[in-house]
């Protein structure tokens, strides 16, 4: 039945690994030249509802699944790591070709597995796509785990006061754990975090007050204005 088929797909979705390596952004080549490609109009439908997400013209030139995910990110703002693509009942890998495909099924993967990977340090923000670096639900746990991840976040994320404050809280926790060995230079790390933040955030009065309220000695790092 259709319901049984969708349940099987949902099971496969849960087993999928959203942290797997990005696909290539280039078409495969052979003997130094490009492999002949055959693209047809591609219909992307949503897995659960069956509704059409988008129709991509036959001249799309998207060689593999990763490129399709990046295309969907550009249109819908959903990070490639949080997407899954099915064809003929099987989930396609990032490197799998789109040549000859007329229809694929798309689903948005739960972000929980990727968040857990970021929180556990098994996945680093710098290794993810630009879409993931612009996803607040992913950037915030990454920065809470490792303050240095802030430098890899997108500009909008570095304009977010909660994310920058999370980086400052992270370094304070590390300092507390490092009281014996004293390997961390707190003032230097705090300065790096402030410099990673967007200049418009640094000039924001409410943000400055929040920083100084938590870390009074950081007043010297903020703009005079």
């Amino acid at each position: 039945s259709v319901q049984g088929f969708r349940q099987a797909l949902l099971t496969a979705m849960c087993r999928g690994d959203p942290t797997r390596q990005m696909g290539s952004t280039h078409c495969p080549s052979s003997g130094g030249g490009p492999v002949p490609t055959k693209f047809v109009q591609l219909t992307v439908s949503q897995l659960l509802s069956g509704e059409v997400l988008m129709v991509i013209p036959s001249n799309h030139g998207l060689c593999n699944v990763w490129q399709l995910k990046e295309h969907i990110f550009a249109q819908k703002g959903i990070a490639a790591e949080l997407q899954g693509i099915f064809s003929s009942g099987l989930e396609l890998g990032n490197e799998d070709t789109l040549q000859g495909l007329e229809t694929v099924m798309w689903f948005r993967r739960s972000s929980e597995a990727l968040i857990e990977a970021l929180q556990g340090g098994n996945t680093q923000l710098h290794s993810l796509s630009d879409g993931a670096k612009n996803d607040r639900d992913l950037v915030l746990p990454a920065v809470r785990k490792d303050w240095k991840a802030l430098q890899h976040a997108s500009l909008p994320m570095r304009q977010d006061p909660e994310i920058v404050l999370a980086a400052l809280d992270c370094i304070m926790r590390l300092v507390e754990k490092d009281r014996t060995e004293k390997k961390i230079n707190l003032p230097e790390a705090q300065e790096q975090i402030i410099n990673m933040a967007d200049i418009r955030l640094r000039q924001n009065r409410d943000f400055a007050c929040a920083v100084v309220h938590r870390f009074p000695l950081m007043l010297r790092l903020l703009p005079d204005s």
Side-chain angles (χ1 to χ4, degrees):
S1 67
V2 173
Q3 183 177 0
F5 173 71
R6 287 184 176 173
Q7 183 59 46
L9 294 186
L10 285 171
T11 301
M13 286 162 53
C14 294
R15 293 174 181 167
D17 179 9
T19 67
R20 60 190 170 189
Q21 187 176 5
M22 298 180 190
S24 169
T25 57
H26 302 285
C27 292
S29 60
S30 176
V35 172
T37 56
K38 179 183 179 182
F39 298 112
V40 295
Q41 178 174 287
L42 180 62
T43 301
V44 183
S45 299
Q46 299 185 55
L47 176 65
L48 299 181
S49 67
E51 295 180 1
V52 174
L53 181 70
M54 62 178 61
V55 177
I56 305 175
S58 59
N59 62 349
H60 58 75
L62 302 173
C63 299
N64 57 36
V65 170
W66 181 261
Q67 291 185 7
L68 173 59
K69 291 178 179 179
E70 289 281 47
H71 179 79
I72 294 172
F73 161 68
Q75 300 296 318
K76 303 295 183 180
I78 301 170
E81 290 86 352
L82 300 182
Q83 300 179 45
I85 304 293
F86 273 81
S87 178
S88 302
L90 297 174
E91 184 176 6
L92 300 178
N94 288 331
E95 297 284 356
D96 287 343
T97 182
L98 296 175
Q99 294 181 43
L101 291 181
E102 297 181 0
T103 304
V104 294
M105 304 298 291
W106 174 92
F107 68 92
R108 175 168 181 157
R109 194 190 303 278
S110 169
S111 59
E112 291 181 3
L114 188 50
I115 289 173
E116 289 177 2
L118 289 165
Q119 289 174 331
N122 298 319
T123 296
Q124 305 298 322
L125 187 64
H126 69 79
S127 67
L128 301 183
S129 68
D130 290 344
K133 294 171 185 175
N134 194 50
D135 189 316
R136 194 176 190 277
D137 290 339
L138 300 178
V139 173
L140 189 55
V143 169
R144 284 173 174 163
K145 175 65 178 179
D146 179 6
W147 63 271
K148 293 180 181 179
L150 182 61
Q151 65 184 310
H152 303 293
S154 69
L155 180 60
M157 295 299 99
R158 288 184 282 112
Q159 293 172 342
D160 188 314
E162 185 179 355
I163 288 176
V164 177
L165 288 171
L168 291 170
D169 288 338
C170 174
I171 191 61
M172 289 303 298
R173 289 195 302 272
L174 293 176
V175 168
E176 288 295 322
K177 293 179 181 180
D178 190 53
R179 283 187 177 277
T180 303
E181 298 184 14
K182 297 182 179 180
K183 293 182 178 179
I184 300 175
N185 185 324
L186 179 59
E188 181 179 310
Q190 289 176 327
E191 183 173 5
Q192 288 182 45
I193 292 171
I194 290 298
N195 288 336
M196 290 176 195
D198 182 66
I199 183 62
R200 285 165 288 188
L201 180 61
R202 283 180 268 162
Q203 294 173 341
N204 181 281
R205 182 179 178 83
D206 291 338
F207 172 72
C209 290
V211 170
V212 174
H213 178 73
R214 295 192 195 191
F215 316 104
L217 296 179
M218 289 188 63
L219 178 61
R220 63 181 178 81
L221 301 177
L222 298 168
D224 294 337
S225 57

